[in-house]
Amino acid sequence: MLHDGDVKNRYSTKEAAFESAVAAASLALREGHEVHVSVPGREAGENALGI
C-alpha cells in the first residue's frame, strides 16, 4: 500500500492491505482529501496470498 508514493506498511495478504487502505481512505474523505483506490488483479500463477 502506498501513501503519497511511499510504502508505509507490509501486509500478509492483499485482502489485509485492501481493508487497511479502505479504512484510511474513509478517514481521508471525511477530512476533505481526494482519494484513489486501485487494486491490481492476480498475476498468472499467483495464489490468493500474492505469492
Side-chain angles (χ1 to χ4, degrees):
M1 185 168 77
L2 298 176
H3 179 263
D4 291 336
D6 295 323
V7 175
K8 300 294 182 187
N9 296 307
R10 300 277 179 205
Y11 299 91
S12 59
T13 65
K14 286 183 179 182
E15 290 82 2
F18 175 78
E19 290 171 3
S20 179
V22 170
S26 178
L27 177 60
L29 284 172
R30 277 184 257 144
E31 294 176 348
H33 299 284
E34 181 176 349
V35 174
H36 297 265
V37 177
S38 176
V39 181
R42 286 188 203 161
E43 297 292 325
E46 185 178 52
N47 67 24
L49 295 177
I51 54 175

